[in-house]
mmCIF file of all heavy atoms in Angstrom:
data_model
loop_
_atom_site.group_PDB
_atom_site.id
_atom_site.type_symbol
_atom_site.label_atom_id
_atom_site.label_comp_id
_atom_site.label_asym_id
_atom_site.label_seq_id
_atom_site.Cartn_x
_atom_site.Cartn_y
_atom_site.Cartn_z
ATOM 1 N N TRP A 1 175.734 120.201 132.084
ATOM 2 C CA TRP A 1 175.111 119.092 131.284
ATOM 3 C C TRP A 1 173.813 118.566 131.928
ATOM 4 O O TRP A 1 173.939 117.877 132.905
ATOM 5 C CB TRP A 1 176.176 117.994 131.108
ATOM 6 C CG TRP A 1 175.736 116.821 130.266
ATOM 7 C CD1 TRP A 1 175.694 116.792 128.921
ATOM 8 C CD2 TRP A 1 175.361 115.537 130.716
ATOM 9 N NE1 TRP A 1 175.334 115.571 128.502
ATOM 10 C CE2 TRP A 1 175.069 114.757 129.581
ATOM 11 C CE3 TRP A 1 175.284 114.928 131.951
ATOM 12 C CZ2 TRP A 1 174.717 113.439 129.635
ATOM 13 C CZ3 TRP A 1 174.868 113.662 132.047
ATOM 14 C CH2 TRP A 1 174.634 112.926 130.907
ATOM 15 N N PRO A 2 172.665 118.955 131.384
ATOM 16 C CA PRO A 2 171.438 118.446 131.907
ATOM 17 C C PRO A 2 171.123 117.104 131.253
ATOM 18 O O PRO A 2 171.376 116.937 129.999
ATOM 19 C CB PRO A 2 170.413 119.535 131.542
ATOM 20 C CG PRO A 2 170.889 120.115 130.316
ATOM 21 C CD PRO A 2 172.477 119.992 130.404
ATOM 22 N N ALA A 3 170.614 116.158 131.998
ATOM 23 C CA ALA A 3 170.326 114.819 131.465
ATOM 24 C C ALA A 3 168.989 114.281 132.069
ATOM 25 O O ALA A 3 168.634 114.605 133.212
ATOM 26 C CB ALA A 3 171.424 113.865 131.633
ATOM 27 N N ASN A 4 168.367 113.387 131.279
ATOM 28 C CA ASN A 4 167.184 112.695 131.931
ATOM 29 C C ASN A 4 167.740 111.723 132.953
ATOM 30 O O ASN A 4 168.940 111.465 133.049
ATOM 31 C CB ASN A 4 166.404 112.019 130.798
ATOM 32 C CG ASN A 4 167.050 110.770 130.215
ATOM 33 O OD1 ASN A 4 167.724 109.996 130.908
ATOM 34 N ND2 ASN A 4 166.904 110.555 128.883
ATOM 35 N N GLY A 5 166.864 111.162 133.635
ATOM 36 C CA GLY A 5 167.214 110.380 134.842
ATOM 37 C C GLY A 5 168.065 109.116 134.496
ATOM 38 O O GLY A 5 168.983 108.858 135.172
ATOM 39 N N SER A 6 167.688 108.391 133.462
ATOM 40 C CA SER A 6 168.459 107.228 133.167
ATOM 41 C C SER A 6 169.900 107.492 132.698
ATOM 42 O O SER A 6 170.797 106.777 133.157
ATOM 43 C CB SER A 6 167.761 106.350 132.115
ATOM 44 O OG SER A 6 167.590 107.074 130.871
ATOM 45 N N VAL A 7 170.049 108.556 131.933
ATOM 46 C CA VAL A 7 171.469 108.870 131.536
ATOM 47 C C VAL A 7 172.281 109.454 132.695
ATOM 48 O O VAL A 7 173.432 108.979 132.894
ATOM 49 C CB VAL A 7 171.423 109.904 130.323
ATOM 50 C CG1 VAL A 7 172.851 110.252 129.913
ATOM 51 C CG2 VAL A 7 170.629 109.328 129.121
ATOM 52 N N PHE A 8 171.742 110.272 133.460
ATOM 53 C CA PHE A 8 172.428 110.804 134.622
ATOM 54 C C PHE A 8 172.793 109.695 135.576
ATOM 55 O O PHE A 8 173.994 109.599 136.023
ATOM 56 C CB PHE A 8 171.542 111.862 135.368
ATOM 57 C CG PHE A 8 172.157 112.407 136.579
ATOM 58 C CD1 PHE A 8 173.192 113.391 136.528
ATOM 59 C CD2 PHE A 8 171.810 111.960 137.843
ATOM 60 C CE1 PHE A 8 173.775 113.974 137.649
ATOM 61 C CE2 PHE A 8 172.391 112.453 138.991
ATOM 62 C CZ PHE A 8 173.405 113.445 138.899
ATOM 63 N N SER A 9 171.789 108.801 135.810
ATOM 64 C CA SER A 9 172.072 107.695 136.804
ATOM 65 C C SER A 9 173.201 106.812 136.188
ATOM 66 O O SER A 9 174.043 106.287 136.937
ATOM 67 C CB SER A 9 170.804 106.911 136.971
ATOM 68 O OG SER A 9 171.027 105.829 137.816
ATOM 69 N N TRP A 10 173.175 106.535 134.841
ATOM 70 C CA TRP A 10 174.235 105.731 134.278
ATOM 71 C C TRP A 10 175.600 106.292 134.386
ATOM 72 O O TRP A 10 176.565 105.671 134.698
ATOM 73 C CB TRP A 10 173.781 105.538 132.774
ATOM 74 C CG TRP A 10 174.578 104.321 132.161
ATOM 75 C CD1 TRP A 10 174.220 103.039 132.130
ATOM 76 C CD2 TRP A 10 175.877 104.396 131.580
ATOM 77 N NE1 TRP A 10 175.157 102.308 131.534
ATOM 78 C CE2 TRP A 10 176.257 103.091 131.196
ATOM 79 C CE3 TRP A 10 176.790 105.421 131.352
ATOM 80 C CZ2 TRP A 10 177.439 102.795 130.577
ATOM 81 C CZ3 TRP A 10 177.941 105.132 130.665
ATOM 82 C CH2 TRP A 10 178.272 103.763 130.345
ATOM 83 N N VAL A 11 175.709 107.661 134.142
ATOM 84 C CA VAL A 11 176.985 108.351 134.263
ATOM 85 C C VAL A 11 177.491 108.294 135.733
ATOM 86 O O VAL A 11 178.681 108.049 135.970
ATOM 87 C CB VAL A 11 176.919 109.802 133.790
ATOM 88 C CG1 VAL A 11 178.214 110.568 134.089
ATOM 89 C CG2 VAL A 11 176.639 109.816 132.286
ATOM 90 N N LEU A 12 176.540 108.530 136.682
ATOM 91 C CA LEU A 12 176.953 108.509 138.082
ATOM 92 C C LEU A 12 177.496 107.105 138.447
ATOM 93 O O LEU A 12 178.476 106.912 139.138
ATOM 94 C CB LEU A 12 175.627 108.877 138.940
ATOM 95 C CG LEU A 12 175.877 109.359 140.323
ATOM 96 C CD1 LEU A 12 176.837 110.546 140.375
ATOM 97 C CD2 LEU A 12 174.539 109.661 140.945
ATOM 98 N N GLY A 13 176.772 106.071 137.980
ATOM 99 C CA GLY A 13 177.231 104.666 138.231
ATOM 100 C C GLY A 13 178.582 104.418 137.597
ATOM 101 O O GLY A 13 179.467 103.806 138.290
ATOM 102 N N PHE A 14 178.807 104.885 136.434
ATOM 103 C CA PHE A 14 180.163 104.716 135.716
ATOM 104 C C PHE A 14 181.182 105.387 136.615
ATOM 105 O O PHE A 14 182.244 104.803 136.857
ATOM 106 C CB PHE A 14 180.034 105.300 134.362
ATOM 107 C CG PHE A 14 181.444 105.567 133.833
ATOM 108 C CD1 PHE A 14 182.175 104.472 133.300
ATOM 109 C CD2 PHE A 14 181.995 106.844 133.723
ATOM 110 C CE1 PHE A 14 183.465 104.760 132.808
ATOM 111 C CE2 PHE A 14 183.238 107.072 133.234
ATOM 112 C CZ PHE A 14 183.996 106.011 132.769
ATOM 113 N N LEU A 15 180.945 106.636 136.953
ATOM 114 C CA LEU A 15 181.971 107.402 137.778
ATOM 115 C C LEU A 15 182.249 106.661 139.104
ATOM 116 O O LEU A 15 183.396 106.633 139.539
ATOM 117 C CB LEU A 15 181.525 108.842 137.978
ATOM 118 C CG LEU A 15 181.570 109.696 136.679
ATOM 119 C CD1 LEU A 15 180.975 111.110 137.028
ATOM 120 C CD2 LEU A 15 182.967 109.832 136.120
ATOM 121 N N THR A 16 181.199 106.195 139.781
ATOM 122 C CA THR A 16 181.322 105.551 141.030
ATOM 123 C C THR A 16 182.206 104.278 140.939
ATOM 124 O O THR A 16 183.109 104.093 141.775
ATOM 125 C CB THR A 16 179.976 105.182 141.585
ATOM 126 O OG1 THR A 16 179.132 106.374 141.727
ATOM 127 C CG2 THR A 16 180.043 104.450 142.924
ATOM 128 N N GLU A 17 181.967 103.534 139.884
ATOM 129 C CA GLU A 17 182.826 102.330 139.705
ATOM 130 C C GLU A 17 184.219 102.582 139.220
ATOM 131 O O GLU A 17 185.148 101.908 139.572
ATOM 132 C CB GLU A 17 182.094 101.420 138.661
ATOM 133 C CG GLU A 17 180.852 100.797 139.153
ATOM 134 C CD GLU A 17 180.184 99.992 138.094
ATOM 135 O OE1 GLU A 17 180.848 99.595 137.093
ATOM 136 O OE2 GLU A 17 178.993 99.686 138.205
ATOM 137 N N ALA A 18 184.429 103.702 138.423
ATOM 138 C CA ALA A 18 185.689 103.968 137.772
ATOM 139 C C ALA A 18 186.676 104.854 138.682
ATOM 140 O O ALA A 18 187.937 104.616 138.480
ATOM 141 C CB ALA A 18 185.543 104.689 136.482
ATOM 142 N N THR A 19 186.155 105.568 139.605
ATOM 143 C CA THR A 19 187.020 106.436 140.329
ATOM 144 C C THR A 19 187.975 105.570 141.233
ATOM 145 O O THR A 19 187.568 104.548 141.786
ATOM 146 C CB THR A 19 186.281 107.441 141.249
ATOM 147 O OG1 THR A 19 187.246 108.326 141.880
ATOM 148 C CG2 THR A 19 185.463 106.831 142.290
ATOM 149 N N THR A 20 189.145 106.098 141.506
ATOM 150 C CA THR A 20 190.105 105.475 142.357
ATOM 151 C C THR A 20 190.119 105.972 143.688
ATOM 152 O O THR A 20 190.824 105.508 144.635
ATOM 153 C CB THR A 20 191.532 105.455 141.792
ATOM 154 O OG1 THR A 20 191.916 106.827 141.671
ATOM 155 C CG2 THR A 20 191.676 104.799 140.398
ATOM 156 N N ASP A 21 189.345 107.062 143.983
ATOM 157 C CA ASP A 21 189.415 107.852 145.211
ATOM 158 C C ASP A 21 188.208 107.360 146.073
ATOM 159 O O ASP A 21 187.043 107.636 145.695
ATOM 160 C CB ASP A 21 189.324 109.308 144.935
ATOM 161 C CG ASP A 21 189.421 110.146 146.136
ATOM 162 O OD1 ASP A 21 188.922 109.760 147.247
ATOM 163 O OD2 ASP A 21 190.075 111.257 146.054
ATOM 164 N N PRO A 22 188.429 106.686 147.242
ATOM 165 C CA PRO A 22 187.322 106.223 148.046
ATOM 166 C C PRO A 22 186.398 107.354 148.454
ATOM 167 O O PRO A 22 185.210 107.176 148.666
ATOM 168 C CB PRO A 22 188.071 105.570 149.222
ATOM 169 C CG PRO A 22 189.406 105.264 148.727
ATOM 170 C CD PRO A 22 189.779 106.251 147.765
ATOM 171 N N ALA A 23 186.949 108.552 148.816
ATOM 172 C CA ALA A 23 186.091 109.657 149.274
ATOM 173 C C ALA A 23 185.159 110.117 148.128
ATOM 174 O O ALA A 23 183.983 110.512 148.368
ATOM 175 C CB ALA A 23 186.953 110.763 149.786
ATOM 176 N N VAL A 24 185.672 110.164 146.927
ATOM 177 C CA VAL A 24 184.827 110.539 145.751
ATOM 178 C C VAL A 24 183.789 109.487 145.569
ATOM 179 O O VAL A 24 182.648 109.812 145.349
ATOM 180 C CB VAL A 24 185.758 110.679 144.529
ATOM 181 C CG1 VAL A 24 184.864 110.912 143.314
ATOM 182 C CG2 VAL A 24 186.673 111.879 144.655
ATOM 183 N N ARG A 25 184.161 108.247 145.626
ATOM 184 C CA ARG A 25 183.199 107.149 145.457
ATOM 185 C C ARG A 25 182.052 107.265 146.537
ATOM 186 O O ARG A 25 180.872 107.188 146.137
ATOM 187 C CB ARG A 25 183.900 105.755 145.632
ATOM 188 C CG ARG A 25 182.906 104.558 145.358
ATOM 189 C CD ARG A 25 183.654 103.246 145.445
ATOM 190 N NE ARG A 25 184.554 103.194 144.326
ATOM 191 C CZ ARG A 25 185.902 103.116 144.420
ATOM 192 N NH1 ARG A 25 186.473 103.175 145.666
ATOM 193 N NH2 ARG A 25 186.676 102.989 143.381
ATOM 194 N N GLU A 26 182.435 107.559 147.714
ATOM 195 C CA GLU A 26 181.400 107.684 148.795
ATOM 196 C C GLU A 26 180.481 108.885 148.498
ATOM 197 O O GLU A 26 179.251 108.731 148.700
ATOM 198 C CB GLU A 26 182.160 107.907 150.151
ATOM 199 C CG GLU A 26 181.214 107.977 151.289
ATOM 200 C CD GLU A 26 182.009 108.127 152.593
ATOM 201 O OE1 GLU A 26 182.977 107.416 152.757
ATOM 202 O OE2 GLU A 26 181.601 108.916 153.441
ATOM 203 N N GLU A 27 180.984 109.969 148.032
ATOM 204 C CA GLU A 27 180.161 111.139 147.674
ATOM 205 C C GLU A 27 179.262 110.845 146.540
ATOM 206 O O GLU A 27 178.075 111.188 146.568
ATOM 207 C CB GLU A 27 181.008 112.357 147.367
ATOM 208 C CG GLU A 27 180.209 113.664 147.244
ATOM 209 C CD GLU A 27 181.055 114.870 147.227
ATOM 210 O OE1 GLU A 27 182.136 114.929 147.719
ATOM 211 O OE2 GLU A 27 180.478 115.909 146.745
ATOM 212 N N LEU A 28 179.732 110.111 145.553
ATOM 213 C CA LEU A 28 178.878 109.748 144.382
ATOM 214 C C LEU A 28 177.833 108.788 144.804
ATOM 215 O O LEU A 28 176.655 108.945 144.343
ATOM 216 C CB LEU A 28 179.741 109.151 143.276
ATOM 217 C CG LEU A 28 180.821 110.080 142.627
ATOM 218 C CD1 LEU A 28 181.780 109.261 141.700
ATOM 219 C CD2 LEU A 28 180.147 111.167 141.906
ATOM 220 N N GLU A 29 178.070 107.883 145.648
ATOM 221 C CA GLU A 29 177.069 106.966 146.175
ATOM 222 C C GLU A 29 176.044 107.702 146.955
ATOM 223 O O GLU A 29 174.895 107.384 146.834
ATOM 224 C CB GLU A 29 177.753 105.850 147.037
ATOM 225 C CG GLU A 29 178.573 104.855 146.250
ATOM 226 C CD GLU A 29 179.466 103.880 147.067
ATOM 227 O OE1 GLU A 29 179.595 104.214 148.320
ATOM 228 O OE2 GLU A 29 179.939 102.910 146.550
ATOM 229 N N GLU A 30 176.474 108.693 147.733
ATOM 230 C CA GLU A 30 175.454 109.507 148.443
ATOM 231 C C GLU A 30 174.614 110.237 147.555
ATOM 232 O O GLU A 30 173.338 110.280 147.723
ATOM 233 C CB GLU A 30 176.226 110.457 149.389
ATOM 234 C CG GLU A 30 175.273 111.208 150.284
ATOM 235 C CD GLU A 30 176.022 112.110 151.205
ATOM 236 O OE1 GLU A 30 177.074 111.654 151.822
ATOM 237 O OE2 GLU A 30 175.581 113.251 151.477
ATOM 238 N N ILE A 31 175.098 110.811 146.465
ATOM 239 C CA ILE A 31 174.255 111.538 145.439
ATOM 240 C C ILE A 31 173.230 110.591 144.895
ATOM 241 O O ILE A 31 172.007 110.883 144.781
ATOM 242 C CB ILE A 31 175.174 112.150 144.323
ATOM 243 C CG1 ILE A 31 175.945 113.338 144.906
ATOM 244 C CG2 ILE A 31 174.294 112.611 143.182
ATOM 245 C CD1 ILE A 31 177.055 113.778 143.950
#
């Protein structure tokens, strides 16, 4: 799924906030 910057960033932020796994959250924050 290719996306422009604002959509990709929004999805990344959503996943970061919604995940229950601290290691996943950390990896998403790093991305």
Side-chain angles (χ1 to χ4, degrees):
W1 182 75
N4 72 39
S6 62
V7 177
F8 178 78
S9 180
W10 196 91
V11 171
L12 201 57
F14 163 75
L15 291 174
T16 300
E17 291 178 18
T19 185
T20 60
D21 186 324
V24 171
R25 182 174 296 113
E26 185 176 314
E27 188 167 338
L28 295 172
E29 288 170 346
E30 185 175 319
I31 291 168

